[in-house]
Amino acid sequence: MSLPERAFPPGEGPAAKVSVSLRAGNIRAIKERVGARGFSAYVDAAVERQIERDLLEEALQVNEKESGPIPRHLRDEAEELFRSVKSAPELREDSEWHAHEAS
């Protein structure tokens, strides 16, 4: 591991060029959302969000070991909230809300 990778926590430090393989459909979707110039920033933000989700999942697992499982009614409530947000009209595929060019 190079020095920059060890010296900075997720989301911080200088940008470094790397090569990754992505599915063609994901590449198209990213370019449609942010254009070619915003591609790297979009992928970097997505990676950072995934790291945050992984850390949250790890914290939830530790919490469940210490406090027991999350009650079913709270899980159901969270799932319903997620479904309602995910199906919001402004997030539909035909909406112009999410299809903006990066500055």
Side-chain angles (χ1 to χ4, degrees), residues 9-100:
E12 297 184 17
K17 193 170 199 120
V18 297
S19 175
V20 298
S21 299
L22 300 173
R23 292 184 189 104
N26 291 340
I27 294 169
R28 179 196 49 76
I30 294 169
K31 286 182 177 179
E32 286 177 358
R33 287 179 178 268
V34 299
R37 297 196 67 180
F39 196 95
S40 291
Y42 189 92
V43 172
D44 188 55
V47 168
E48 191 171 342
R49 282 190 305 276
Q50 184 60 49
I51 292 168
E52 290 170 352
R53 291 177 82 175
D54 293 347
L55 293 172
L56 179 58
E57 179 63 30
E58 291 167 9
L60 288 170
Q61 289 175 358
V62 168
N63 184 61
E64 281 196 6
K65 284 181 184 174
E66 293 175 359
S67 303
I70 297 171
R72 184 78 241 162
H73 74 280
L74 292 177
R75 286 180 183 260
D76 293 343
E77 185 178 324
E79 288 173 6
E80 178 58 35
L81 178 61
F82 181 75
R83 276 193 298 277
S84 69
V85 169
K86 190 175 177 184
S87 64
E90 59 269 17
L91 298 179
R92 287 194 327 249
E93 190 66 32
D94 59 348
S95 171
E96 291 297 319
W97 178 77
H98 60 79
H100 65 279

Side-chain angles (χ1 to χ4, degrees), residues 1-18 44 51:
M1 188 179 295
S2 68
L3 178 61
E5 292 169 345
R6 283 185 278 142
F8 299 100
E12 297 184 17
K17 193 170 199 120
V18 297
D44 188 55
I51 292 168

